[in-house]
Amino acid sequence: MAKKFADFVGGFPGNFFQFSSALYNIRSTSQYYYAQDTIKVRPRLTVNLGVRYEYNSPQYDTHNNIIGFFGAGAQSKVFPNAPPGVLYPGDPGTPNRALVFPDKNNWAPRVGFAWDILGNARLVMRGGFGIFYDIEDGALNLQFGGQPPFGDVSNLDLFPNEVVNGNAFADPFGAQGITNPFPFASQGRVGQFFVPKISFAFVTDPHFRTPYSENFNFGFQYQLAKDLAIEAVYVGSLGRKLISTPDVNAPLPSIELQQILNSGGSTDYATAVANGGFVNRPCARPFAGCSNPTDPTDPNSSLQDISTMLTNKSAGLSDSHQFQLTVDKRYRHGLSFRAAYTLAKTIDLSSGFRARSGGYTDPFNPRLDRGLADFDATHRFVVSASWELPISKPFRNHTLGRKLTEGWQVNVISTFQSGQPFTIFSNNDNSLQGNFLDRPNLIGKIRTMDARQVSSFSGAAVNCSGATPDPVTGNISGNFYFDPTAFDCQFNNDLHLAPGSVASFGDLGRNTLRGPGINNWDISFLKKTKITESKVLEFRAEMFNAFNHAQFLNPDPFGFDSTFGQISQTRGPRLVQFALKLYF
């Protein structure tokens, strides 16, 4: 981050983004049908059977301001000047106005059972399985409107080697020698393409399918006493066809490596880099339309057609398995409590639509991102208790004393949870993708530390840090959460040329480290005072993080940041609030 701020102050921008205003007029229809039945197989065995069918029509725009990417061999007839691969409503080969083939295979069976094992309703076995479909995320509508040729989305790389003239801050378009398309609609430019024809776009895969999950559970409930019950359940969920958003026009490393060789005038990478070999990333994209993509020194070879093409696909998956144990103590003498423990593990490719990892580290190999989910928590233990304080009994016959002492209640929620996983990013663009999702190489043992203590490491060994070493000791000091010397973000500082590191994404896995856990207490005091038969006054005093326990957020995972590996943020401090409510 320090380098990025220094570039900004020095007048060296890296990227410029601007888009037209867009009007959305989206339409879709849904049809849901279901049938279910409950069967009493035996007096103590009940079975539930059901099936559900869902159909959600692909979303379309009433003005047909939709763009679709159909890949090689596709050429628009509606807009003949459109870049190859891009089609519009009315083009031959498109399925409908939505440009997405309908998914009509969304059958969702359901089955469940409950068995009273002992016949006295004290020990019950339960289980079930079902398929549950989602609908297209509303955010997918980002593709509808404001994209060429109905508007323009400019996403310009302004790195020094890509600025041909002028001041990139004052005129980002002129700095690259291209026409400024804005304002768009007010100049009657609807239907017109510029250069590049599409610099940035959101589209939906024509074969997008409805995301769904397979959920199942099996467990036992046992009533130990009249007011005490225990439940143990295994819960599983398999997410399939989940939404992901890779760039289907990502730069090809093979072309970029050839650009280094050609621009450096050598067949040896080290020599080429030493001679100033560089990458012309825009022309390394498959649908860039450059006349000579492997020669970045060719002044006539520049991005003509398509740059970034983020495509919503139904290609994600997840696997979640949990063991849940719950103990419930019902009210007795004004006291009740629940204790719940969960042992869980969730693995996925990306944790949510448009999550940081939703675009995939390697656009050509989504499995590289298979790892713990961003929200995974191995252990979670929550105890909640409520106690109606029995302090009014001595004052039953004293009106004022009874009013002051009755109706008091104290509630406590205690939460203890494992930390959530996080990924370390090298930020060195060793993969030549420019997506800032590269990971470092692991060169030592992963070791976590007490962030409350200041730790010091040799500045030369912490090659992922952007901090300036102490001029006397040569060390880097700070509140480190993990040992920063275990990671190599520079790949031996060889500009991608170390053996096995050419166009490499690094060998550290996604979400291989786990951050600090949660140790939190929320406490509330409540007083209900009956005024009349129909009116009650309630006073509440609530404390969140009641003991003001320092609960750390994840450390800085970004290579070359000055605080790399250190913790600098915490969860919320103690918060106290009061409320007065009148019921009538």
Side-chain angles (χ1 to χ4, degrees):
M1 292 298 291
K3 182 179 183 301
K4 296 175 184 176
F5 284 123
D7 287 345
F8 180 81
V9 173
F12 303 105
N15 181 266
F16 175 80
F17 191 87
Q18 184 176 354
F19 51 90
S20 303
S21 60
L23 298 177
Y24 302 97
N25 200 18
I26 310 305
R27 296 291 184 271
S28 178
T29 59
S30 300
Q31 300 180 45
Y32 302 142
Y33 307 92
Y34 72 94
Q36 65 181 39
D37 193 12
T38 300
I39 305 173
K40 199 80 170 179
V41 179
R42 292 291 189 93
R44 292 187 291 165
L45 177 61
T46 301
V47 175
N48 302 102
L49 298 174
V51 63
R52 183 180 178 91
Y53 176 78
E54 300 184 5
Y55 174 69
N56 301 287
S57 70
Q59 300 172 1
Y60 69 93
D61 177 49
T62 58
H63 301 296
N64 289 332
N65 289 352
I66 296 180
I67 175 176
F69 185 71
F70 286 75
Q75 182 61 55
S76 177
K77 303 296 183 183
V78 175
F79 296 103
N81 292 330
V86 176
L87 299 181
Y88 297 86
D91 270 323
T94 57
N96 46 45
R97 298 172 66 186
L99 304 181
V100 175
F101 291 92
D103 185 1
K104 299 181 178 180
N105 192 36
N106 298 337
W107 291 94
R110 315 282 172 84
V111 60
F113 73 91
W115 178 30
D116 181 1
I117 298 177
L118 303 178
N120 56 8
R122 295 189 62 182
L123 178 61
V124 179
M125 177 195 297
R126 302 180 189 274
F129 169 83
I131 294 179
F132 299 85
Y133 286 91
D134 198 357
I135 61 175
E136 279 191 66
D137 195 301
L140 296 188
N141 292 341
L142 288 173
Q143 67 162 321
F144 300 139
Q147 300 191 103
F150 313 110
D152 196 82
V153 181
S154 295
N155 187 30
L156 308 180
D157 289 329
L158 297 174
F159 299 106
N161 63 301
E162 292 164 353
V163 174
V164 296
N165 58 68
N167 185 316
F169 262 127
D171 183 8
F173 296 96
Q176 289 197 340
I178 60 178
T179 301
N180 184 348
F182 303 103
F184 196 87
S186 64
Q187 295 187 10
R189 289 174 168 173
V190 174
Q192 182 179 355
F193 291 94
F194 293 84
V195 178
K197 294 181 178 179
I198 297 178
S199 63
F200 183 90
F202 267 107
V203 299
T204 297
D205 184 350
H207 297 284
F208 184 88
R209 291 295 175 261
T210 309
Y212 69 91
S213 64
E214 300 175 0
N215 296 345
F216 41 90
N217 63 82
F218 175 78
F220 296 86
Q221 290 178 318
Y222 184 55
Q223 185 174 344
L224 296 171
K226 180 180 179 181
D227 52 7
L228 180 63
I230 185 171
E231 181 178 18
V233 184
Y234 161 71
V235 177
S237 178
L238 308 179
R240 296 297 181 260
K241 300 181 182 179
L242 305 181
I243 299 175
S244 58
T245 315
D247 181 1
V248 298
N249 195 36
L252 297 174
S254 59
I255 295 181
E256 293 181 291
L257 293 173
Q258 191 61 49
Q259 290 174 345
I260 294 176
L261 295 176
N262 292 344
S263 59
S266 172
T267 58
D268 175 74
Y269 288 113
T271 303
V273 172
N275 293 339
F278 63 91
V279 167
N280 181 7
R281 179 169 293 120
C283 281
R285 298 178 182 273
F287 293 86
C290 297
S291 59
N292 192 358
T294 60
D295 186 2
T297 63
D298 184 348
N300 297 317
S301 185
S302 60
L303 179 64
Q304 300 294 313
D305 291 336
I306 304 175
S307 181
T308 304
M309 183 64 74
L310 296 180
T311 302
N312 300 303
K313 289 178 168 288
S314 48
L317 58 86
S318 67
D319 300 278
S320 178
H321 303 277
Q322 300 181 10
F323 169 70
Q324 300 175 353
L325 180 65
T326 305
V327 178
D328 280 298
K329 178 73 173 180
R330 298 172 185 169
Y331 277 101
R332 185 177 183 184
H333 305 300
L335 176 65
S336 68
F337 76 89
R338 162 173 281 201
Y341 169 73
T342 301
L343 174 65
K345 185 174 185 179
T346 302
I347 295 176
D348 61 15
L349 299 182
S350 62
S351 299
F353 176 56
R354 299 187 71 192
R356 178 177 175 85
S357 55
Y360 298 137
T361 302
D362 182 355
F364 310 103
N365 179 23
R367 288 280 178 168
L368 183 66
D369 282 336
R370 189 174 188 273
L372 292 175
D374 297 351
F375 51 83
D376 177 77
T378 304
H379 304 283
R380 180 175 174 84
F381 181 57
V382 179
V383 177
S384 57
S386 179
W387 186 23
E388 293 184 350
L389 301 179
I391 58 177
S392 62
K393 292 183 179 180
F395 305 95
R396 289 178 178 176
N397 299 322
H398 191 284
T399 303
L400 179 60
R402 187 177 70 253
K403 288 286 185 182
L404 294 175
T405 57
E406 70 178 359
W408 281 99
Q409 180 178 314
V410 59
N411 306 291
V412 179
I413 300 177
S414 306
T415 304
F416 307 90
Q417 179 181 301
S418 302
Q420 294 178 327
F422 65 93
T423 302
I424 294 180
F425 300 97
S426 63
N427 276 353
N428 67 353
D429 194 25
N430 189 71
S431 67
L432 305 179
Q433 281 297 310
N435 58 12
F436 301 103
L437 295 176
D438 296 0
R439 304 191 284 262
N441 281 337
L442 182 64
I443 58 175
K445 183 178 180 180
I446 297 178
R447 182 168 62 98
T448 57
M449 316 175 72
D450 185 0
R452 293 177 174 83
Q453 307 295 326
V454 175
S455 303
S456 298
F457 300 90
S458 169
V462 189
N463 65 34
C464 288
S465 177
T468 302
D470 183 275
V472 178
T473 65
N475 292 338
I476 293 176
S477 301
N479 299 95
F480 287 93
Y481 178 73
F482 58 80
D483 184 349
T485 65
F487 311 100
D488 177 14
C489 290
Q490 296 180 358
F491 289 80
N492 298 325
N493 197 26
D494 60 359
L495 298 178
H496 321 310
L497 307 181
S501 72
V502 178
S504 168
F505 294 91
D507 61 15
L508 185 68
R510 168 177 167 258
N511 283 346
T512 51
L513 282 79
R514 192 178 291 276
I518 296 175
N519 178 357
N520 187 73
W521 293 71
D522 296 333
I523 302 175
S524 67
F525 296 92
L526 183 149
K527 170 70 168 73
K528 288 185 177 181
T529 303
K530 192 172 183 179
I531 301 175
T532 65
E533 191 68 27
S534 61
K535 296 179 179 61
V536 176
L537 184 66
E538 179 183 279
F539 166 76
R540 300 182 69 96
E542 299 171 314
M543 294 181 291
F544 302 95
N545 189 10
F547 301 119
N548 205 28
H549 181 73
Q551 302 177 73
F552 299 118
L553 294 175
N554 285 348
D556 184 347
F558 301 110
F560 307 115
D561 277 5
S562 60
T563 56
F564 172 76
Q566 301 182 47
I567 287 182
S568 57
Q569 293 181 315
T570 64
R571 301 178 190 274
R574 176 171 52 215
L575 175 65
V576 181
Q577 67 181 25
F578 301 94
L580 193 64
K581 184 185 294 186
L582 176 65
Y583 296 90
F584 58 91

